[in-house]
Amino acid sequence: MAQRVGTYTLKFTERPSIIGHAAVVGKTEGEGPLREEFDRIFEDDTLGQKSFEKAESALQMEAVTLALQKAKKTPQEIHYILGGDLLNQCIGTSFALRDLGIPFLGLYGACSTMALSLGLAGILTDSKAADFVVAETSSHFCSAERQFRLPLEYGGQRTPTAQRTATAAGASVLSAVHVPNAPSLEAVTFGSIQDLGIKDANNMGAAMAPAAAATIANFLKDTNTTPADYDLILTGDLGKVGTELLKALLLKDHHIDIKNKHKDCGLLLYDCEAQDVHAGGSGCGCAASVFNSYIMQKLLKGELSRVLLVATGALMSPTSSLQGESIPGIAHAVLISKPDVIE
Amino acid sequence: MAQRVGTYTLKFTERPSIIGHAAVVGKTEGEGPLREEFDRIFEDDTLGQKSFEKAESALQMEAVTLALQKAKKTPQEIHYILGGDLLNQCIGTSFALRDLGIPFLGLYGACSTMALSLGLAGILTDSKAADFVVAETSSHFCSAERQFRLPLEYGGQRTPTAQRTATAAGASVLSAVHVPNAPSLEAVTFGSIQDLGIKDANNMGAAMAPAAAATIANFLKDTNTTPADYDLILTGDLGKVGTELLKALLLKDHHIDIKNKHKDCGLLLYDCEAQDVHAGGSGCGCAASVFNSYIMQKLLKGELSRVLLVATGALMSPTSSLQGESIPGIAHAVLISKPDVIE
């Protein structure tokens, strides 16, 4: 049963385990530094579907299917599946999961969805409300461009602060029964909305950095720990600009230095210079695919023991931006650890 | 701690209580049969805001504020707020809650959101992961028309099967500590996606009825009960068409007759003939406002003892409909009871 620690943090006393994980990506992501880590790379970003939206659903379905296979679970054994995506009305998710027959809890956390779904899946399993839960999400460069910016055919120029929405999906299967040697969930800190007035929809990193700073500071305060207690503080998709701002905000407002402990999934997923992705990767699938491949593998191999995954989301829409609104940010943090190392 | 009952249902052993509730509506809803039940009726559907989207956020904020006041709680005392809405990227919710400072779990369940948020809030409080949680949602006729159909200025005709998106918001405040005389959560059944191939976006009732039938049948089977064990089986917004289909599906596929026990929020909210709303009301705010006013008052007065709230959602978007897709439906059921009556 989850125990409240400090003001914002929940510790999982039963330590639900991640017994399956999968990450699938598109062509560009498959040419990046993590190319060896993914379960599957689709050379054709349409995945043979008639629209980019349907391609995103197929991508997500593939990640869920592979994660279930690796967990040796059938859909019938899964009590709940938790997911969402960036598309209007989250159709990437609802059409992906339509035929699974698993009770579905739809989420909207923009690019924070992997941490949001993992954290809630942790509560469901830790409290024994469920035996097995899938947490998952996706994004697709082409469906996101059409949704949030301009159709690809327009050939719009991108600003240096812009990030590339990852064509990627990731899924984790959680077990309420603690499994030795499987990475497990140790704690979660859900964030509140932060908005410092950033209005530039081509600079999501800046809009989301304050939320990441607030959630990391709350987590460290609640648990009475410092960055030295973790192997890695892994943000979702702050990119180059957001990463610099996060470090500056944590130092200035909280006297916390994460310099040697921090990495960002958006900067791990691509070689920004060589792949011309400007400030890095973004999208729900960015954190989901990096966590459910590279990071999970490192946890399983013992190369990492304690990882604080802090996925951040920008809670705007094209409509709110056109109406002159600023961009509210949110960040949720989940602490994942390889239990036999720290117990 | 929630206990699994049957295949799909969770029973709340701690019986978290609804210690505050509020419902606020627009002009048309304020002229309907429930006009005396609402906390506030806004004669001006813009609520003095510059856009319908901002008006929806203001409406939602008003419901949350009033529910907190009635629960005698400050935002600082609330551990989590759970909500979502119909707008792209759920901006109705994120902009409503931006300044509250409450950790926010964003949901997307379309018109099922009130039951989804209540059910999850039940798990959070019942498991003691949180002391106090707000579950809430909203919809707005004018922002939804622009989003899903046509701008109001176009003056489009509506088909007889079409429903009117309610301009309404509702919020419930849950307490982990059981409060005598307050209605409390007894059980939840989260649904899986059902899709029988309905493609007519002007007939949401037909698209959602199979999901309601499946969830109600699962709940009754899991709990080994019949409709006679409840005072009311309350669907969210099936309207005239969906209600008839639900009754027919339950009879045909499950031999369950809910005739004398069933009401639909979409048919309670309006006088369909006199108010020219065709097949009834819809939208997240429909179930949210009817439950958090009329139904909660009847529970508090002892005129109802056990109500199964079954809110249904249509998980499509205008894009998926344009791409020829059918409309996936979902339904979540929450059993609310006035404990001193049944204990």
Side-chain angles (χ1 to χ4, degrees):
Chain A
M1 209 156 87
Q3 268 188 327
R4 293 197 72 85
V5 180
T7 311
Y8 298 104
T9 300
L10 284 173
K11 279 213 169 187
F12 296 121
T13 52
E14 303 297 321
R15 308 282 296 275
S17 299
I18 303 177
I19 58 166
H21 66 282
V24 298
V25 300
K27 185 170 186 294
T28 306
E29 295 70 23
E31 292 166 352
L34 303 184
R35 70 184 76 87
E36 303 296 334
E37 308 285 339
F38 302 117
D39 291 277
R40 199 162 166 195
I41 296 164
F42 289 92
E43 290 296 317
D44 171 7
D45 276 359
T46 73
L47 282 83
Q49 301 292 318
K50 285 188 175 172
S51 73
F52 294 133
E53 291 76 16
K54 293 184 187 199
E56 180 170 345
S57 290
L59 196 70
Q60 192 181 113
M61 182 63 184
E62 184 72 15
V64 172
T65 304
L66 290 172
L68 285 174
Q69 277 173 17
K70 287 156 87 178
K72 298 190 173 55
K73 292 290 154 203
T74 63
Q76 291 73 37
E77 293 174 274
I78 305 298
H79 283 151
Y80 303 113
I81 186 160
L82 279 67
D85 60 88
L86 290 172
L87 298 182
N88 293 352
Q89 287 77 45
C90 296
I91 54 167
T93 305
S94 43
F95 286 91
L97 308 182
R98 181 164 50 167
D99 301 320
L100 278 180
I102 305 174
F104 166 54
L105 311 188
L107 306 179
Y108 186 75
C111 307
S112 75
T113 304
M114 195 64 228
L116 176 60
S117 62
L118 263 183
L120 268 171
I123 291 171
L124 288 164
T125 45
D126 192 73
S127 71
K128 308 292 182 204
D131 294 341
F132 300 103
V133 176
V134 174
E136 54 94 34
T137 185
S138 66
S139 55
H140 193 299
F141 174 68
C142 307
S143 61
E145 285 297 303
R146 172 147 77 187
Q147 188 83 107
F148 289 95
R149 284 164 285 262
L150 294 159
L152 288 185
E153 294 81 353
Y154 182 81
Q157 290 289 309
R158 303 164 71 79
T159 67
T161 58
Q163 295 169 243
R164 182 189 170 94
T165 307
T167 299
S172 308
V173 183
L174 261 75
S175 160
V177 174
H178 182 75
V179 176
N181 295 320
S184 66
L185 266 58
E186 204 178 325
V188 63
T189 304
F190 292 111
S192 59
I193 299 170
Q194 309 288 325
D195 189 336
L196 297 194
I198 301 288
K199 292 189 175 190
D200 180 0
N202 290 309
N203 193 354
M204 292 294 182
M208 300 189 295
T215 298
I216 291 169
N218 285 337
F219 171 83
L220 293 175
K221 190 176 173 205
D222 285 346
T223 53
N224 195 22
T225 56
T226 71
D229 294 305
Y230 305 95
D231 294 321
L232 182 61
I233 295 174
L234 180 73
T235 47
D237 57 350
L238 293 180
K240 281 185 197 170
V241 180
T243 291
E244 289 314 306
L245 289 171
L246 169 66
K247 289 178 181 170
L249 283 167
L250 279 174
L251 258 186
K252 181 175 140 293
D253 295 345
H254 306 281
H255 308 288
I256 295 169
D257 186 353
I258 57 166
K259 199 169 45 195
N260 303 319
K261 296 292 183 173
H262 175 262
K263 283 195 192 304
D264 182 71
C265 296
L267 297 175
L268 290 167
L269 185 57
Y270 301 108
D271 179 335
C272 293
E273 303 306 319
Q275 293 189 286
D276 193 28
V277 299
H278 300 238
S282 70
C284 308
C286 180
S289 65
V290 173
F291 173 73
N292 282 295
S293 62
Y294 180 57
I295 301 299
M296 274 295 291
Q297 265 103 267
K298 278 198 175 291
L299 282 161
L300 282 165
K301 283 187 269 186
E303 292 168 24
L304 289 171
S305 302
R306 294 182 100 193
V307 176
L308 186 68
L309 171 68
V310 188
T312 53
L315 301 176
M316 37 62 73
S317 81
T319 303
S320 66
S321 291
L322 285 171
Q323 293 181 1
E325 271 293 355
S326 54
I327 302 171
I330 196 156
H332 304 299
V334 183
L335 178 61
I336 302 107
S337 58
K338 178 77 175 300
D340 54 344
V341 178
I342 66 148
E343 270 166 8
Chain B
M1 210 155 86
Q3 267 187 326
R4 292 196 73 83
V5 179
T7 311
Y8 298 104
T9 300
L10 284 173
K11 278 212 170 187
F12 295 122
T13 52
E14 303 297 321
R15 307 284 295 276
S17 298
I18 302 177
I19 58 166
H21 66 282
V24 298
V25 299
K27 185 170 187 292
T28 307
E29 294 71 22
E31 292 166 351
L34 304 184
R35 71 184 76 86
E36 303 297 334
E37 308 286 338
F38 302 117
D39 291 278
R40 200 162 166 196
I41 296 163
F42 289 92
E43 290 296 319
D44 172 7
D45 276 0
T46 73
L47 283 83
Q49 301 292 319
K50 285 188 175 173
S51 74
F52 294 132
E53 290 76 16
K54 293 185 185 196
E56 181 170 344
S57 290
L59 196 70
Q60 192 180 115
M61 183 63 185
E62 184 72 16
V64 172
T65 304
L66 289 171
L68 285 174
Q69 277 173 16
K70 287 157 86 177
K72 297 191 173 55
K73 292 289 154 202
T74 63
Q76 291 73 34
E77 292 174 275
I78 305 299
H79 283 151
Y80 303 113
I81 187 161
L82 280 67
D85 60 88
L86 291 171
L87 299 182
N88 293 351
Q89 287 75 47
C90 296
I91 53 168
T93 305
S94 44
F95 285 93
L97 308 182
R98 180 166 49 171
D99 300 321
L100 278 180
I102 305 173
F104 166 53
L105 311 188
L107 306 178
Y108 187 75
C111 307
S112 76
T113 305
M114 194 65 228
L116 176 60
S117 62
L118 263 182
L120 269 171
I123 291 171
L124 288 164
T125 46
D126 192 73
S127 70
K128 309 291 181 205
D131 294 341
F132 300 103
V133 176
V134 174
E136 55 91 36
T137 184
S138 67
S139 55
H140 194 298
F141 175 69
C142 307
S143 61
E145 286 299 305
R146 171 146 78 189
Q147 188 84 106
F148 288 95
R149 285 166 284 262
L150 294 159
L152 289 184
E153 294 81 354
Y154 181 81
Q157 291 289 308
R158 301 165 72 78
T159 67
T161 57
Q163 295 170 241
R164 181 189 171 92
T165 307
T167 299
S172 308
V173 183
L174 261 76
S175 159
V177 174
H178 183 75
V179 175
N181 296 319
S184 65
L185 266 56
E186 204 177 324
V188 63
T189 305
F190 292 110
S192 59
I193 298 171
Q194 308 289 324
D195 190 336
L196 297 194
I198 302 288
K199 292 191 175 188
D200 180 359
N202 289 309
N203 193 355
M204 292 294 183
M208 300 189 294
T215 298
I216 292 170
N218 286 337
F219 171 82
L220 294 175
K221 190 178 172 203
D222 286 346
T223 54
N224 196 22
T225 57
T226 71
D229 294 307
Y230 305 95
D231 295 321
L232 183 60
I233 295 174
L234 180 74
T235 47
D237 58 349
L238 293 179
K240 281 184 197 170
V241 180
T243 292
E244 289 314 307
L245 290 171
L246 169 66
K247 289 178 181 171
L249 283 168
L250 280 174
L251 258 186
K252 181 175 140 294
D253 294 346
H254 306 281
H255 310 290
I256 294 169
D257 186 353
I258 57 165
K259 200 168 47 194
N260 302 318
K261 296 292 184 174
H262 175 263
K263 283 195 193 302
D264 182 71
C265 296
L267 297 175
L268 290 168
L269 185 59
Y270 302 109
D271 180 334
C272 294
E273 303 306 320
Q275 293 189 283
D276 194 29
V277 299
H278 300 239
S282 70
C284 307
C286 180
S289 64
V290 174
F291 174 73
N292 283 295
S293 61
Y294 181 58
I295 301 299
M296 274 296 291
Q297 264 102 268
K298 277 198 175 294
L299 282 161
L300 283 165
K301 283 188 268 184
E303 293 168 23
L304 289 171
S305 301
R306 294 183 100 193
V307 175
L308 185 68
L309 171 68
V310 188
T312 52
L315 301 175
M316 36 64 73
S317 82
T319 302
S320 66
S321 291
L322 285 171
Q323 292 181 1
E325 270 293 356
S326 54
I327 302 172
I330 197 156
H332 304 298
V334 184
L335 178 61
I336 303 108
S337 58
K338 178 76 177 298
D340 53 345
V341 178
I342 66 147
E343 268 166 7

